[in-house]
């Protein structure tokens, strides 16, 4: 098989069978939440997020991420003091601990002996022959106030007392926009880059890296890179761009962003670094024998 044919085969999404399992998993989680009586008095928004929702997932990264957002509570931050108009604090029952406890009960009732709550963030539902692994994430509505307006996301509270903010709607919107601008090539290239990482990690050619990080590397490549006529040329252009642009330390301007464009891709709290990106690109370049 030629390299072009191999790479072309790596651009597709999960198989129809895998997609059916993913859809069934999401549907059963929704059923578990609907059947849990304590949630009758709680406003919840349930939706898929991550690579499954964004159609950038590949076979070996086929788990489903489901956000369960309590919209009764709005957490917020402001870019500087005084930007937000003061409001009364929430005094209801839906604390982070209660939301997690009730969500865990709902999952255990639907998936007996298949629930793992040892992680710091998500409640994991283990797969079986009809379902894929799932991460069910309890979270709350979140709004970030700025001088020029605000942006909405979700706030997730971890078991260790820390919290994180996500912007899944912005990730979805930006990924769709870039895919449309590039003639539906961007998401295929994101899946291609993920499969390259999977293959190199599985045969020991390079260390494993997070799927979302790989997607962000593809996202930060300019739209013109996806206009090349072959997958071999597109992959070559992506790898060279990543390697070239991630040389040296983080610059003061024109910094790379996550797909949501709300956070910088590289900072001290990230689990990956510029070095990870450029070393991945170099390893892949050599793996495929590019000159």
């Amino acid at each position: 098989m030629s390299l072009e044919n191999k790479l072309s085969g790596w651009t597709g999404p999960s198989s129809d069978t895998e997609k059916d399992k993913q859809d069934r998993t999401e549907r059963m989680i929704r059923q578990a939440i609907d059947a849990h009586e304590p949630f009758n008095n709680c406003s919840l928004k349930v939706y898929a997020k991550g690579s499954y929702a964004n159609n950038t997932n590949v076979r070996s990264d086929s788990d489903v991420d489901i956000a369960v957002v309590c919209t009764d509570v709005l957490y917020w931050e402001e870019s500087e003091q005084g930007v937000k108009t003061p409001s009364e604090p929430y005094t209801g029952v839906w604390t982070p601990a209660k939301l997690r406890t009730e969500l865990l009960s709902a999952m255990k009732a639907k998936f007996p002996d298949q629930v793992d709550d040892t992680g710091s963030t998500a409640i994991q539902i283990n797969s079986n022959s009809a379902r894929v692994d799932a991460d069910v994430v309890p979270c709350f509505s979140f709004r970030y106030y700025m001088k020029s307006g605000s942006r909405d996301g979700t706030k997730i509270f971890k078991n260790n007392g820390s919290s994180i903010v996500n912007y899944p709607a912005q990730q979805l919107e930006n990924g769709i926009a870039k895919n449309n601008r590039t003639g539906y090539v961007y998401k295929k290239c994101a899946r291609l880059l993920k499969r390259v990482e999977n293959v190199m990690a599985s045969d020991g050619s390079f260390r494993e890296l997070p799927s979302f990080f790989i997607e962000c590397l593809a996202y930060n490549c300019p739209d013109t890179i996806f206009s090349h006529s072959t997958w071999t040329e597109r992959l070559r252009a992506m790898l060279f761009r990543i390697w070239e642009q991630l040389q040296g330390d983080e610059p003061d301007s024109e910094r790379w962003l996550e797909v949501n464009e709300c956070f910088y891709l590289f900072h001290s709290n990230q689990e990956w670094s510029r070095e990870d990106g450029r070393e991945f690109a170099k390893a892949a370049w050599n793996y495929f024998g590019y000159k």
Side-chain angles (χ1 to χ4, degrees):
M1 180 186 294
S2 69
L3 177 59
E4 179 66 15
N5 287 340
K6 177 185 289 188
L7 297 183
S8 177
W10 286 356
T11 63
S14 301
S15 67
D16 290 342
T17 300
E18 201 68 18
K19 179 67 164 56
D20 288 343
K21 290 183 178 181
Q22 292 166 337
D23 291 346
R24 185 179 299 111
T25 304
E26 180 182 359
R27 185 168 59 252
M28 292 180 70
I29 290 170
R30 290 179 181 274
Q31 291 169 351
I33 293 169
D34 290 341
H36 192 60
E37 187 174 348
F39 285 145
N40 290 347
N41 297 317
C42 180
S43 297
L44 294 176
K45 185 177 180 181
V46 182
Y47 57 87
K49 63 174 187 170
S51 59
Y52 164 66
N54 289 281
N55 195 27
T56 56
N57 58 319
V58 298
R59 171 64 182 84
S60 54
D61 300 316
S62 62
D63 59 314
V64 172
D65 293 329
I66 303 295
V68 181
V69 188
C70 175
T71 60
D72 285 346
V73 189
L74 175 66
Y75 288 88
W76 57 271
E77 294 177 13
E78 51 189 352
S79 59
E80 58 184 82
Q81 189 173 2
V83 169
K84 181 190 179 302
T85 303
S87 59
E88 292 297 319
Y90 174 74
T91 57
V93 300
W94 290 103
T95 64
K98 180 171 176 58
L99 179 62
R100 185 179 188 89
T101 297
E102 296 298 347
L103 192 54
L104 179 60
S105 296
M107 294 303 108
K108 286 184 174 180
K110 183 71 172 180
F111 307 100
D113 302 321
Q114 296 174 313
V115 179
D116 182 355
D117 189 38
T118 59
S120 65
T121 306
I123 298 169
Q124 181 175 317
I125 313 299
N126 296 323
S127 63
N128 62 17
S129 59
R131 294 184 284 99
V132 297
D133 287 335
D135 284 337
V136 182
V137 184
C139 39
F140 292 85
S141 297
F142 174 84
R143 184 167 295 154
Y144 185 68
Y145 291 91
M146 303 167 286
K147 281 186 175 181
S148 57
S150 63
R151 62 184 179 219
D152 291 339
T154 60
K155 186 156 189 170
I156 303 165
F157 292 87
K158 296 187 176 185
N159 283 339
N160 61 10
S162 65
S163 63
I164 55 176
V165 171
N166 282 344
Y167 291 101
Q170 291 84 342
Q171 180 184 351
L172 180 64
E173 180 181 335
N174 292 339
I176 290 173
K178 190 175 183 74
N179 203 45
N180 291 342
R181 291 197 309 270
T182 58
Y184 308 105
V185 174
Y186 156 66
K187 291 193 178 185
K188 292 180 179 179
C189 281
R191 291 193 293 262
L192 171 58
L193 209 61
K194 289 183 180 184
R195 281 192 164 97
V196 168
E197 185 275 333
N198 289 166
V199 168
M200 293 200 303
S202 65
D203 69 11
S205 300
F206 195 71
R207 60 187 176 274
E208 185 175 352
L209 293 172
S211 171
F212 178 64
F213 175 52
I214 299 298
E215 183 172 337
C216 290
L217 293 179
Y219 184 79
N220 280 275
C221 291
D223 294 352
T224 53
I225 278 181
F226 305 105
S227 65
H228 287 283
S229 59
T230 67
W231 299 112
T232 306
E233 291 172 345
R234 290 166 184 148
L235 177 59
R236 184 186 190 277
M238 281 194 295
L239 295 176
F240 185 80
R241 176 75 178 188
I242 294 165
W243 178 83
E244 179 186 50
Q245 291 295 307
L246 297 185
Q247 297 296 316
D249 297 327
E250 184 74 352
D252 294 327
S253 61
E254 298 183 2
R255 296 170 65 180
W256 281 21
L257 301 170
E258 294 183 1
V259 180
N260 54 52
E261 296 191 6
C262 297
F263 296 124
Y264 291 121
L265 182 56
F266 302 105
H267 54 78
S268 59
N269 293 326
Q270 287 285 35
E271 57 181 306
W272 52 72
S273 66
R274 292 172 63 88
E275 183 179 18
D276 287 327
R278 63 176 179 261
E279 288 187 353
F280 163 72
K282 181 178 180 179
W285 180 279
N286 292 332
Y287 189 87
F288 292 102
Y290 284 120
K291 302 297 182 183

